[in-house]
Amino acid sequence: MNKISANVARIFSESFSSAPHQYFSPGRINLIGEHIDYNDGFVLPAAINKGVYYAVAANKTNEIHLYAVDFDEWYSTSISEIKKLNGWKNYVLSVVNEFLLAGKPISGFDCVFGGDIPRGSGMSSSAGVEGGLAFALNDLFNCGLNRTELALLCQRAEHGFPNVQCGIMDQYANMLGKKDHVILLDCKNITHQYFPLQLKGYKIVLLNSNVQHSLATGEYNIRRKQCGKGLAILKAQYGIQSFREITTEDQVISCKELMDAAVFNRTLYVVQEIDRTKKAVILLQENNITALGKLMFDTHDGLSKLYEVSCNELDFLVQFAKENASVAGARLMGGGFGGCTINLVKEEGLTYFIAQTSKAYQNQFKLSLEPYIVDTADGTNLIEL
């Protein structure tokens, strides 16, 4: 038990008389395949050793009692009166609502949760919050859902009260992560394969820019609509049903005059990124970290110029990384408009890279950089005490 889970357990014991079950629900990284989970693409995520810790117990009433440690906020309601609210409550209550919509036999419960995923960092704190509670309710009330079904329920929950029309990647990695592996997730067919993540001599470093240029829910949903428009044009031209069936970017370029500039750029990025992700799997199997890193830089270029979800701070961090010989690859990770970059850095150059980047970033933006060296982890699970 670490400090966070111990604190969650302490607060629960001070607040309630029952003995809780405890759960860990991880955040995630994504090596490559950004903004294509909702476009039927392939992605390469992994669960990480940062996440959300839960203490939950059934209370044999109709009441739900929630305490969010990171916000120092309580909320209570009747299970029959769950409704859309705001902030963190929407993510938690939407999970409960999805169990009710599915006709699952849940009733009142007491819950305390807190974690160490910085909000807005791109490590998917929302999936950590959703996944931990969903796994707990499924466990405590014997609902019988498997991990894939729980991931899909959590995706529906994020679509629900929070109204973020996300793809399946974050929730899937949260539930089906496997230590020392990445998941090649087929977002069209919702199937996966595990591949060993063997970054010998390299570490995964996340640099939190500490900026959050308001996403983004609105901009995120706009990108989805633009991709939908692009796909509709490709369907009409080529008789295809998915971006996956586009075999060359020339097919997109030939439709340029049929699309406005933004729709064309988004569509071109999606087709290029699906291709990059397929190449990345081969490079991982070959342990070709240098070539994999180049693909990551290419992804960032596409996210910045074609998909337009970067910002000055993230572009600066990636360009600075590109000029460091110890860095194989870097790019923004997550929804964009702030949050983290993900970097593959040689172990011997790690300390220097973090120190120099932090100094340059402070000088340029008068902002502190938060570095995180992360390891892969298993998906959401019961903590064995």
Side-chain angles (χ1 to χ4, degrees):
M1 184 183 290
N2 66 16
K3 287 182 180 178
I4 301 171
S5 61
N7 188 46
V8 166
R10 178 187 61 78
I11 293 169
F12 190 98
S13 68
E14 291 173 355
S15 307
F16 306 106
S17 58
S18 54
H21 288 197
Q22 288 190 254
Y23 305 88
F24 173 67
S25 180
R28 64 102 190 95
I29 57 165
N30 182 30
L31 275 185
I32 201 162
E34 207 66 81
H35 280 282
I36 57 170
D37 59 338
Y38 54 85
N39 286 307
D40 290 342
F42 298 93
V43 291
L44 267 183
I48 58 171
N49 59 340
K50 287 186 172 293
V52 182
Y53 296 84
Y54 271 90
V56 190
N59 61 24
K60 298 180 181 178
T61 73
N62 198 37
E63 297 291 313
I64 296 172
H65 304 290
L66 305 166
Y67 178 64
V69 175
D70 301 328
F71 295 93
D72 187 22
E73 237 181 287
W74 282 96
Y75 180 74
S76 296
T77 187
S78 165
I79 204 163
S80 59
E81 295 177 0
I82 286 172
K83 61 185 178 183
K84 182 174 179 176
L85 293 170
N86 52 52
W88 65 266
K89 301 178 192 74
N90 267 343
Y91 293 89
V92 178
L93 295 175
S94 199
V95 169
V96 179
N97 191 51
E98 288 300 326
F99 274 91
L100 297 174
L101 289 173
K104 297 301 177 183
I106 66 169
S107 57
F109 60 91
D110 304 321
C111 171
V112 176
F113 67 98
D116 59 356
I117 310 176
R119 292 184 295 280
S121 64
M123 292 183 241
S124 198
S125 56
S126 61
V129 168
E130 293 153 357
L133 183 59
F135 193 94
L137 296 180
N138 188 59
D139 182 36
L140 291 172
F141 296 106
N142 298 310
C143 295
L145 298 174
N146 63 35
R147 287 180 178 270
T148 301
E149 290 168 332
L150 285 170
L152 291 166
L153 182 146
C154 290
Q155 182 194 26
R156 295 196 300 273
E158 190 143 344
H159 290 181
F161 293 171
N163 191 30
V164 178
Q165 302 301 308
C166 63
I168 188 61
M169 175 179 68
D170 295 353
Q171 293 80 11
Y172 205 95
N174 169 272
M175 281 293 164
L176 288 107
K178 185 178 179 182
K179 186 171 172 55
D180 298 325
H181 290 74
V182 291
I183 304 168
L184 176 63
L185 171 59
D186 179 334
C187 298
K188 182 180 179 212
N189 299 312
I190 317 299
T191 57
H192 71 278
Q193 294 173 263
Y194 292 110
F195 288 92
L197 184 60
Q198 298 171 328
L199 299 174
K200 290 183 179 175
Y202 285 85
K203 285 289 188 181
I204 298 169
V205 182
L206 307 182
L207 297 178
N208 186 2
S209 66
N210 273 314
V211 295
Q212 296 173 37
H213 296 292
S214 161
L215 169 60
T217 298
E219 288 294 328
Y220 184 97
N221 292 340
I222 287 168
R223 296 301 182 283
R224 287 202 68 148
K225 289 178 182 176
Q226 290 168 331
C227 292
K229 288 179 181 177
L231 181 59
I233 290 167
L234 294 176
K235 282 181 178 179
Q237 287 295 108
Y238 298 110
I240 53 96
Q241 295 303 312
S242 165
F243 283 115
R244 296 257 289 272
E245 297 168 60
I246 297 297
T247 53
T248 72
E249 61 185 63
D250 288 342
Q251 290 172 280
V252 180
I253 293 169
S254 72
C255 296
K256 186 173 184 177
E257 293 183 4
L258 302 173
M259 303 177 184
D260 68 41
V263 168
F264 172 75
N265 286 342
R266 312 304 186 243
T267 304
L268 182 61
Y269 168 79
V270 168
V271 170
Q272 291 175 340
E273 184 71 348
I274 288 172
D275 184 58
R276 278 191 288 265
T277 307
K278 290 191 284 190
K279 288 177 178 175
V281 174
I282 296 168
L283 294 172
L284 263 183
Q285 291 173 284
E286 295 173 349
N287 292 323
N288 191 339
I289 306 303
T290 302
L292 175 64
K294 184 181 182 307
L295 287 182
M296 292 171 66
F297 283 126
D298 291 345
T299 289
H300 182 81
D301 197 50
L303 287 167
S304 180
K305 295 174 182 173
L306 295 177
Y307 221 68
E308 296 182 275
V309 292
S310 190
C311 59
N312 291 337
E313 294 88 349
L314 295 176
D315 288 343
F316 176 88
L317 289 174
V318 171
Q319 184 57 41
F320 199 82
K322 206 172 198 175
E323 294 166 6
N324 187 307
S326 294
V327 180
R331 64 177 190 83
L332 77 83
M333 185 182 75
F337 305 100
C340 283
T341 60
I342 179 171
N343 306 261
L344 297 182
V345 187
K346 287 180 182 176
E347 290 184 39
E348 63 265 27
L350 195 58
T351 302
Y352 180 80
F353 167 68
I354 291 173
Q356 291 300 105
T357 309
S358 298
K359 182 180 177 181
Y361 188 71
Q362 176 73 42
N363 290 341
Q364 182 73 19
F365 296 105
K366 305 298 183 280
L367 287 168
S368 296
L369 201 62
E370 288 181 6
Y372 301 97
I373 301 166
V374 297
D375 294 314
T376 57
D378 291 326
T380 301
N381 225 319
L382 182 70
I383 297 173
E384 299 295 340
L385 300 176

